[in-house]
Structures are given as C-alpha cells and as structure tokens.
Amino acid sequence: MSTPTLDKHSAALDAAESTAAQKITVTFRIRRFNPEVSADAQWQDFQLELDPKERVLDGLHKIKWEQDGTLTFRRSCAHGICGSDAMRINGKNRLACKTLIKDINPEKPITVEAIKGLTVLKDLVVDMEPFFQAYRDVMPFLITKDTNEPTRERLQSAEDRERFDDTTKCILCAACTSSCPVFWNDGQYFGPAAIVNAHRFIFDSRDEAGEQRLEILNDKDGVWRCRTTFNCTDACPRGIEVTKAIQEVKRALITRRF
Amino acid sequence: MKIHKYDTVIVGAGGAGMRAAIEATKRSRTAVLTKLYPTRSHTGAAQGGMAAALANVEEDNWEWHTFDTIKGGDYLVDQDAAEILAKEAIDSVLDLEKMGLPFNRTPNGTIDQRRFGGHSRNHGEAPVRRSCYASDRTGHMILQTLYQNCVKEGVEFFNEFYVLDLLLNDVDGVKKSAGVVAYELATGEIHVFQAKSIIFASGGTGKFFKVTSNAHTLTGDGQAAAWRRGLPLEDMEFFQFHPTGIWRMGILLTEGARGEGGILRNKDGERFMEKYAPVMKDLASRDVVSRSIYTEIREGRGCGPEGDHVYLDLTHLPPEQLDAKLPDITEFARTYLGIEPYTDPIPIQPTAHYAMGGIPTNVEGEVLADNTTVVPGLYAAGEVACVSVHGANRLGTNSLLDINVFGRRAGIAAAEYAHKNEFVELPEDPAKQVQDQVERLRDSNGTESVVALRTELQECMDANVMVFRTEQTIKTAVEKIGELRERYLNVSVQDKGKRFNTDLLEAIELGNLLDLAEVMAVSALARKESRGGHYREDYPNRDDVNFMRHTMAYREVGADGKESIRLDYKPVVQTRYQPMERKY
C-alpha cells in the first residue's frame, strides 16, 4: 500500500472543502435591451444571494430562474471551454462562467453588459456573424499543396508543434475582438481572433498557405490596424498571448519568414 | 412557417454532426441545423484523447482494442460494431491529422499516445498507451479541426435552429423519414426542412442529473424527438458516471490525469484503487472506479467535513509535466476551487457523464424502428445513438472515436441514400405539433415553474438512479418522474416574446429531459442484474442467462390517449469473444 502523503492540508484546500454556507447579497446591474419591448437599452438592478465562490453565470441563472425569465444570454458548458458567454463584466470582457463573484469585488454593484462592437440582439446576446465572417476570411484550415494523401501521419517535431500551441487554444468567444478599440471604431478590421486563427496555421510547419494568409492580413483592414493596446491579451479567457501573436504575424509580413 | 428542401439534413454540429457534414457536403446538398453555434458543442469539453492502436510508442493492435471495448462494456457491446470501431480508429486519427489536428508528438515526430482507463496490452495484462491526444484539450481540437474543415468544404449551417420534431410518413406501408421541424431562436419562426436523408447527431442527455459534466444544453433533444414519433430507445438504463468530476460542480477532470500518473486517495491518504483493481488500479474502467469511490465514501473514508468526496492527487507529478500535459484541468482546479494542484490534492466525486444508450442504429448509422427494421433515410451518430459500441460502460477515449468513425459512416451512407432516393412527401400540416407545443408553452398561465421541476428532477435522479440503484430507489424515481410529468402540463414561462426566447427553450428542454428520465428509470427497473454502469444492490451480479440482451423501450399511446412504456429486448451480437468475469 502506498504511503499516505496528504496529512497536511493547505488553507486553500480547507477553504475549498468548506461546506459552511456563506451567502452574501450582491447587486447585478445589467444592461437590458429588447427591441420587442423598447427601442432603448437600459440598466436594471437585481439583488440576489450568492456564495462568493459562485460564478457570475450562476448569478445570471439565479436571476433568470427566480426573478426575471426574460433575461437573455448565451451559455452552454459553464466552465470556460465552449465560448458562449463572453460578456462585459465590470467593464472588462470575460466569460461569465470563469468569473467568480469573490474575484470582482461584490461590495459594489456588478455591471454586466453585452460585448462591444457587435450588434446587440437582446440583452447580452450579440450578432456573432461579422465575427465568424472575419474568421472564415483568413482561411482557417490546413492547406497543403501535395495532393497525394500520406498513408501515415505527417511527421512534426515536438518543437514545431509547440511553435503554434498557444493559438490553438482559441475558443472563438470573441472576448478579444470585442475588447479592441480599433474593432469598436471600424467593423472592417479583422480583429484579434481572426489573426490568432491565421497565426495558428501560418506557424504550423505542415501548412503551405502561409503566404496567402499573410497577404490577406496585409490588407488595409488587416494586422497593421493593431495599435498594440493589449486589451485582447487581457481579455482572453484562455490566456493566449494575443498581442504577441499579432506582432509575430506583423514580423512575418516584414521578413517573410515564419 | 418556412419550408426548405435539402438532400441531407444533419441535426447537431458537434463532433459527429460535423464529421458527417464533411462527408455529406461533398456528396449531396446538405444543411446542418444546430441549437448552438458549431464550436459551442460539448465535444469541445472532452479532454484526454481518442483511442487508436497506432502502436506509435509501444506494441498494440486493433484486436486488443476490440477486446478492451467489449470487456469495458461488460459484454453488452455488439462485437461486430466494436471491431469496426477499433479497426477504423486508426484511419480516423490519421484523417484528423491530415485535416490539421495538432496532436502532441513523440520525439520522432509521430502522434504521441498515453494510457487511459480500461485500455490494455494483450487482453488485460497491463495498461497500454493507446490514447492519441492534444494536451488535455483533445475534444476542443477535434471540434475546431472539424469546424475548420466544414468552413473549407463550405458546409451550410443554420445556427441556433432548434430541431423539435421528426417527420415520418408512410409510403406503401413503410415508415420513412420525410423531414424535421426547427424553431429559429432569433425570431421564434418555425421552419420545416424536407430532406431525403436525416442524420441525428444532437448529443447526450446528462442534464437530468444534478452533478454532471454535461453542458446546460445537453437535454436529449434528438432522442426525445425520435421517441415521441414512436421510435424505440435502446439501453437507456446505462449511464456513465465519470469518476473525477470537481466536487459538487461536476466539471470534468480528465482520466488522462490518472493516465499521466495521478492517484485517487481517501481521507487516510490510501491509494484505495489497489484494493478494487489490483492490475489496472486507478486506470480500471470508469464504472469500477466510480463504484469504488462511493464505496470508500459510504464506508466513512471520504474526505472533507462531510466525508462526501475523495482526492485526485497530482502532487507527486513534476509541475512541468502538469503544465505540458494537463494545463486546462489544473487551471480548472485553480479557478473553481482556488487550490494549487502542484501542492494540493483535488477534491473530486463521480459526475454524470455519458449516455451509453440512445437511438438504436446499425453499423451504417441507419436508425432501427425495432430489432431489425431500418427507417429508410434516417440516421443517427454519436452520443444520441446506440450502435452499440459502448454496451454497459464506455471506455474513456472511445467517444471521441465513436463520433469520428460513425459520424463519417453516417455522413457517407446518408448522402448516398439521398442520391438514390426521392423526397418523401411531408405529412399534412407538418409543423402542427411544434406550433401547438410552442404556443401552449408560451401562452400558458400555469402555476408550475421550469426551474422548480428541473431541480426536483435532478435531485431525484441523483438520489435514486445514480451509481447505486435498488428496486426501491428506482421505483421512487419512476413515481416522482410521473408526478413531475403531470405537473409539467401546468408549466408556464415568463418570457412571452418571439426574439431569443431562451425561457421557452428551457421549458421545451425540460419536457425532453422528463420523457427520457422516465425511459431510463423504467428500463433500469426491469434490468434485475448488475452490468457496467447499471449497478443494482439488490442484484449485485451480472446475469448472462436472463440479461445478456439490449433493452428496447417503446412509447405506447392507448386508445384513451394515455402514454405508457413497453419494454422489449434485442440480442447482443457476439462474434469471437465469450463473456468472462470482468476483473481489472
């Protein structure tokens, strides 16, 4: 039998395992919009009881289920992997399911509004089509010239695989793109997410269409619009170094090496 | 109401749906209808890998994989289907690599592989490295890669179109599929899609449990649509509880964590799996590990103030290994529990994870109307379907495999069927059932709330038909579900609008969950044995004499309009493997 190794508990583990209820009252201040009811958006406050360890998404559900069934938002997996519930929480783009109440100062009202730069359709739901169109425009799929399909997998060194690891994490939640001031002011800009997904292929050693993708991003609405504000990097719920990826694409455009 | 016409219509845009779409779009005019945006599906939450006997890192072959799958499913697996799964696994992985999937690599550049529960060398000798993986986000990478290739192939998607009904029509006495009816979430409009062939790939139904790894949107929509149109559901009593969900939240922590060397421990720090599975230990099959965890908890060796969980211990693994191989799940522990998995063990409990049962199909993905009769033009693949490659318990990494192998097969078969056949006439007033359903819910002034009924359902299911079941607990569940179904007739929604009415959507989803929960409980009550994920404390042994057979449940409506469930059985396909006692 193996030796017990868990005789000491950290304070963090004790806190995680605590079953003592510690509900607090918080205020959610939500930007409501429903063109079926009114042409104008307005802020609405809701008071509710939550455990500080609960997620903002839990709060939204609580409101929808117990107070106002008309409150509308997208969500699915509820743990930061499906990318449905990007929203602006206290002025910052985050996933509602990855933001815990205790991490955002519940003393003050928690503001929740739709992400910016995309048309709001109802409450926290925006039109995602322009976002996905920009994604489709960068040819987000592996392109190889060789028409003879290999019978085994292509070889790729662990280093070559590592080169584009960071940008494979993207979940297309639009938190980055809708945090970008350039995107807010000019809907034509591809936006960070599309560039991240181009990066994922440009730096994949198996892909052979890097030049084509670079030309697409060399467009006036391409990477040169980026003003390096780092909003996108701060917003990414997957911890992707978005600004760095954009800079690497810019550098590849100059050196034509990738 | 709008009417659309396509050769092939695919319902669902997860792994199975998009894998099918890639094939079907090349061969026929295809539309994909999805309740969510394509990359939102729960395939993306799968972590640990996809099994295939590539033998890149050690000796392996597909026959061993076939055996493990059949043994893992406690011999309820249809052996011809398992053989196809294991054989075609190899090409499925290679196809994904060719499509661009960034698998982790070995030092010589081939696809890397790791250990996973129930996968063994030479029929159970020792764990084998069979799982092809991309860090701990293999499902995410599969979903992204398939979507990328759908973009490449120009697949036509109808996003946020929720399919509520399946249209069947009699042609010369044969029940054929004619189309589906969908509700457009953005506008509230109802659309009829007439199609020569239809593939259901709409995923699982885990949301009838409270502690589950499943997304909020996994509400058995496809199964329920087929069920209400009189098609059977197979083996619904078999539901998998994944051993390592985050305590109370149910969020999945991959079995790959144990594949990388993680250990389950009780409150005394004991590696308790050594007692229950001396060879495979922490990598025994999921049903075995989940029962072991609950046995520890019941016998007072659980952790925490209420002794209601155990630990997944990764603290002996080097931080570099955790960062490279398990970055997402270690981040889940940090985000949701506030602990550091380098130094703290992670509190876990079994979490409702996967429906082994579903819409019965043959190995071409064709849906069955009974034990043998195919419904022409109707297909199903992925978790919504029951082929049955998972039998009574699915092995880890076999579901990402299933969606690729049988998604591809269904896509090809459906498109070829569409080529050879004409449209089946739509039934009269095709959208009526959906219109009535939507209007009734939207206009109702009933006094029951969706959340109250759903919460009661989930609590009832967790308490009565989870890892351990008895005749008494299952009867309690059947009775409670019956009561909830009665009360559901009096449910109302607050949102009366047409635009993005997710309040209405949740009410419809609840109706599906209630129907399927009842099928599950009734099927479980009749299976007086223990096999795989279905464990009856009052019948703790497997009974091959009476129950080596699939359950087939049918919805019956009497002359008085009263619904009931009729159970029938279907033989298991056995080829070369004789049932043996299952030990790990």
Side-chain angles (χ1 to χ4, degrees), chain B residues 245-424:
Chain B
I246 290 181
W247 173 57
R248 289 194 168 176
M249 299 183 85
I251 296 172
L252 177 68
L253 300 177
T254 177
E255 195 167 293
R258 283 170 283 139
E260 293 290 341
I263 290 170
L264 296 171
R265 296 187 190 279
N266 61 21
K267 72 168 186 188
D268 304 318
E270 180 193 5
R271 182 181 193 177
F272 57 84
M273 279 313 299
E274 287 178 334
K275 293 183 294 196
Y276 303 97
V279 177
M280 297 294 278
K281 300 189 176 92
D282 300 90
L283 289 173
S285 66
R286 289 177 178 172
D287 58 326
V288 171
V289 179
S290 285
R291 274 194 296 278
S292 305
I293 291 170
Y294 272 123
T295 304
E296 291 295 303
I297 290 170
R298 285 172 154 201
E299 291 176 0
R301 293 185 294 278
C303 307
E306 290 174 27
D308 59 354
H309 58 274
V310 298
Y311 292 135
L312 171 62
D313 181 12
L314 308 175
T315 58
H316 54 292
L317 301 177
E320 315 80 71
Q321 187 185 351
L322 298 183
D323 292 351
K325 302 289 182 69
L326 302 166
D328 279 6
I329 63 134
T330 44
E331 194 194 306
F332 294 157
R334 292 181 193 113
T335 302
Y336 296 112
L337 294 167
I339 59 167
E340 177 46 68
Y342 295 158
T343 51
D344 286 319
I346 308 170
I348 58 99
Q349 73 176 94
T351 180
H353 188 56
Y354 187 88
M356 270 74 74
I359 301 174
T361 72
N362 61 23
V363 294
E364 304 306 329
E366 294 173 297
V367 170
L368 299 174
D370 54 37
N371 286 5
T372 50
T373 313
V374 160
V375 184
L378 187 61
Y379 300 79
E383 193 174 342
V384 70
C386 180
V387 181
S388 148
V389 286
H390 307 305
N393 170 65
R394 175 175 69 74
L395 289 190
T397 67
N398 267 358
S399 64
L400 289 181
L401 178 56
D402 176 7
I403 59 177
N404 278 288
V405 168
F406 290 101
R408 176 178 167 277
R409 281 177 158 255
I412 294 170
E416 283 176 356
Y417 179 87
H419 262 289
K420 291 182 201 138
N421 291 275
E422 293 305 315
F423 285 99
V424 170

Side-chain angles (χ1 to χ4, degrees), chain B residues 393-524:
Chain B
N393 170 65
R394 175 175 69 74
L395 289 190
T397 67
N398 267 358
S399 64
L400 289 181
L401 178 56
D402 176 7
I403 59 177
N404 278 288
V405 168
F406 290 101
R408 176 178 167 277
R409 281 177 158 255
I412 294 170
E416 283 176 356
Y417 179 87
H419 262 289
K420 291 182 201 138
N421 291 275
E422 293 305 315
F423 285 99
V424 170
E425 206 176 314
L426 291 171
E428 207 176 316
D429 205 355
K432 186 175 186 325
Q433 183 169 308
V434 171
Q435 259 153 358
D436 290 351
Q437 181 187 12
V438 166
E439 273 163 31
R440 185 180 59 77
L441 283 167
R442 201 160 42 200
D443 301 341
S444 162
N445 294 313
T447 50
E448 294 286 354
S449 85
V450 171
V451 63
L453 296 188
R454 187 175 52 214
T455 306
E456 286 181 47
L457 172 67
Q458 291 168 339
E459 282 173 359
C460 162
M461 295 294 278
D462 274 21
N464 295 303
V465 285
M466 228 171 81
V467 172
F468 292 108
R469 301 166 174 178
T470 66
E471 174 148 335
Q472 200 202 330
T473 65
I474 302 169
K475 277 187 170 160
T476 306
V478 172
E479 206 169 298
K480 179 71 184 178
I481 297 163
E483 174 212 312
L484 294 171
R485 291 187 72 226
E486 281 292 314
R487 287 165 58 194
Y488 179 74
L489 300 174
N490 191 28
V491 86
S492 68
V493 297
Q494 266 184 291
D495 194 337
K496 307 291 185 192
K498 295 207 155 166
R499 195 178 177 88
F500 275 101
N501 191 338
T502 53
D503 205 20
L504 175 70
L505 189 81
E506 286 189 38
I508 294 169
E509 290 172 332
L510 172 64
N512 294 344
L513 290 176
L514 285 166
D515 283 2
L516 298 174
E518 187 169 49
V519 182
M520 177 202 237
V522 169
S523 302

Side-chain angles (χ1 to χ4, degrees), chain A:
Chain A
M1 208 55 56
S2 42
T3 330
T5 54
L6 304 169
D7 41 354
K8 268 184 291 184
H9 269 201
S10 72
L13 181 58
D14 283 337
E17 292 184 289
S18 163
T19 50
Q22 36 169 295
K23 298 263 177 177
I24 56 167
T25 303
V26 292
T27 303
F28 273 44
R29 182 163 293 166
I30 302 174
R31 186 81 170 158
R32 303 295 306 272
F33 173 67
N34 183 358
E36 280 187 308
V37 176
S38 159
D40 302 314
Q42 56 182 7
W43 292 97
Q44 187 178 358
D45 281 6
F46 296 92
Q47 291 224 323
L48 59 156
E49 303 271 298
L50 284 173
D51 187 308
K53 288 193 277 192
E54 287 186 280
R55 300 161 268 201
V56 169
L57 180 62
D58 296 317
L60 293 173
H61 271 146
K62 225 169 167 188
I63 294 167
K64 183 174 182 66
W65 293 339
E66 292 168 14
Q67 299 186 37
D68 186 349
T70 68
L71 179 66
T72 302
F73 47 93
R74 292 188 175 109
R75 90 288 186 254
S76 186
C77 79
H79 65 282
I81 198 71
C82 77
S84 298
D85 65 346
M87 47 190 80
R88 221 165 137 78
I89 299 165
N90 283 352
K92 196 180 162 218
N93 280 5
R94 313 165 195 251
L95 297 182
C97 62
K98 266 191 109 168
T99 308
L100 303 197
I101 300 299
K102 69 182 170 59
D103 298 330
I104 48 166
N105 186 14
E107 310 278 301
K108 287 202 246 166
I110 296 165
T111 63
V112 183
E113 56 194 307
I115 48 177
K116 284 173 75 173
L118 294 161
T119 308
V120 180
L121 300 176
K122 184 179 175 186
D123 291 345
L124 306 173
V125 173
V126 298
D127 178 10
M128 292 294 286
E129 268 317 308
F131 173 81
F132 277 100
Q133 188 56 52
Y135 167 79
R136 289 191 290 264
D137 284 345
V138 301
M139 301 195 299
F141 38 81
L142 191 77
I143 298 174
T144 54
K145 292 191 194 103
D146 193 354
T147 48
N148 289 330
E149 286 286 329
T151 54
R152 287 291 303 189
E153 70 264 48
R154 286 183 206 82
L155 297 183
Q156 182 171 49
S157 72
E159 295 71 41
D160 283 347
R161 163 66 181 80
E162 182 60 25
R163 179 67 189 87
F164 64 102
D165 185 68
D166 202 35
T167 45
T168 66
K169 294 175 189 163
C170 176
I171 54 173
L172 299 171
C173 68
C176 61
T177 295
S178 63
S179 74
C180 174
V182 180
F183 182 78
W184 296 339
N185 295 325
D186 177 2
Q188 298 300 308
Y189 173 43
F190 278 91
I195 302 172
V196 159
N197 281 281
H199 178 284
R200 178 250 170 275
F201 289 101
I202 292 169
F203 292 93
D204 184 336
S205 59
R206 300 170 297 173
D207 186 76
E208 296 172 53
E211 288 286 350
Q212 276 170 272
R213 292 195 182 84
L214 286 175
E215 275 319 307
I216 293 168
L217 294 175
N218 203 17
D219 186 87
K220 66 178 169 49
D221 299 313
V223 284
W224 306 113
R225 302 295 308 274
C226 167
R227 290 287 172 269
T228 344
T229 58
F230 283 90
N231 281 18
C232 50
T233 303
D234 288 344
C236 179
R238 302 282 294 147
I240 300 171
E241 294 181 276
V242 182
T243 313
K244 185 179 164 204
I246 297 172
Q247 292 303 105
E248 287 177 351
V249 172
K250 286 181 184 172
R251 203 173 309 128
L253 262 169
I254 295 166
T255 62
R256 295 284 164 168
R257 275 211 304 246
F258 46 87

Side-chain angles (χ1 to χ4, degrees), chain B residues 6-9 11 165-171 174-180 193-200 226 229 231 365-367 369 374-380 414 417-418 421-427:
Chain B
Y6 284 86
D7 291 333
T8 307
V9 160
V11 181
D165 195 13
L166 162 68
L167 300 173
L168 301 171
N169 213 347
D170 267 19
V171 181
V174 180
K175 201 191 274 183
K176 292 188 173 181
S177 77
V180 293
F193 287 80
Q194 188 178 12
K196 293 176 183 171
S197 53
I198 293 156
I199 305 173
F200 271 91
R229 289 296 180 184
L231 296 178
E366 294 173 297
V367 170
V374 160
V375 184
L378 187 61
Y379 300 79
Y417 179 87
N421 291 275
E422 293 305 315
F423 285 99
V424 170
E425 206 176 314
L426 291 171

